[in-house]
Amino acid sequence: MTTQNKLSVGEVAPDFSLEGSDGKTHKLSALRGRKVVLYFYPRDNTPGCTQEACDFRDASARFGQAVIFGVSPDSVASHVRFVNKLGLPFVLLADPGAELAARYGAYGEKVMYGKKSLGIIRSTFVIDEAGRLAAVYGKVSIKGHVEQVLSIVGEDGAKVGSAHA
């Protein structure tokens, strides 16, 4: 698998239908009329991914009506354990084979400890009420990232704007 083209602000967000940690199937198209924060992360229970999930958890009330989804190739069972361990108030979506990540440009070559490999590129997408990308954050640095996302979504989930990082 190779990474797909990078998505840009203003484009229609690729639809998806993925199983979540809540046992339900979630479709982006069913969420029209609400903002969606879709963040891709490499793996449950790793230090960086745990920190990112906790940062979104700790700020989740500030996102108001916006829907937050974390997405990784981990299984639903792994996501359930991760959600329970961290007390996450949002759903984690299973993306087996990283197919959705590839469609969003969040899968590709990365360098870790000087070694190149293919994998999930930590990325976040803010999708507006019409299903278009309001913000695209690639190669996310965890520290301060949730505040960046909140600056687009707004404290009540109602702010309008766009950004490309």
Side-chain angles (χ1 to χ4, degrees):
M1 178 185 337
T2 59
T3 185
Q4 300 295 315
N5 292 335
K6 294 284 184 199
L7 298 176
S8 299
V9 169
E11 286 184 56
V12 174
D15 199 9
F16 59 81
S17 179
L18 294 176
E19 191 174 350
S21 55
D22 59 355
K24 298 176 183 172
T25 298
H26 295 270
K27 295 180 181 192
L28 180 60
S29 57
L31 294 169
R32 291 290 189 271
R34 295 182 72 183
K35 279 194 172 64
V36 176
V37 175
L38 192 65
Y39 80 91
F40 290 87
Y41 66 98
R43 192 164 176 212
D44 293 343
N45 291 304
T46 57
C49 298
T50 297
Q51 183 62 58
E52 185 175 28
C54 288
D55 289 351
F56 273 107
R57 175 199 65 200
D58 295 348
S60 63
R62 295 170 58 201
F63 281 89
Q65 295 300 308
V67 177
I68 301 170
F69 287 125
V71 185
S72 85
D74 293 299
S75 68
V76 171
S78 175
H79 283 339
V80 168
R81 290 189 298 272
F82 197 47
V83 164
N84 290 338
K85 176 181 176 182
L86 300 179
L88 302 179
F90 51 85
V91 173
L92 300 180
L93 301 175
D95 183 20
E99 293 172 18
L100 184 65
R103 288 177 53 215
Y104 272 80
Y107 181 91
E109 188 176 274
K110 58 187 192 172
V111 179
M112 191 175 209
Y113 306 116
K115 187 176 180 180
K116 290 183 181 180
S117 65
L118 287 177
I120 300 296
I121 299 165
R122 194 179 306 279
S123 307
T124 302
F125 301 85
V126 177
I127 303 161
D128 69 15
E129 297 85 347
R132 293 193 173 275
L133 293 167
V136 175
Y137 299 98
K139 296 183 181 175
V140 165
S141 176
I142 297 166
K143 186 176 174 115
H145 179 59
V146 168
E147 292 301 322
Q148 285 180 313
V149 176
L150 271 168
S151 74
I152 298 299
V153 175
E155 295 282 330
D156 58 0
K159 188 171 181 177
V160 177
S162 64
H164 192 289

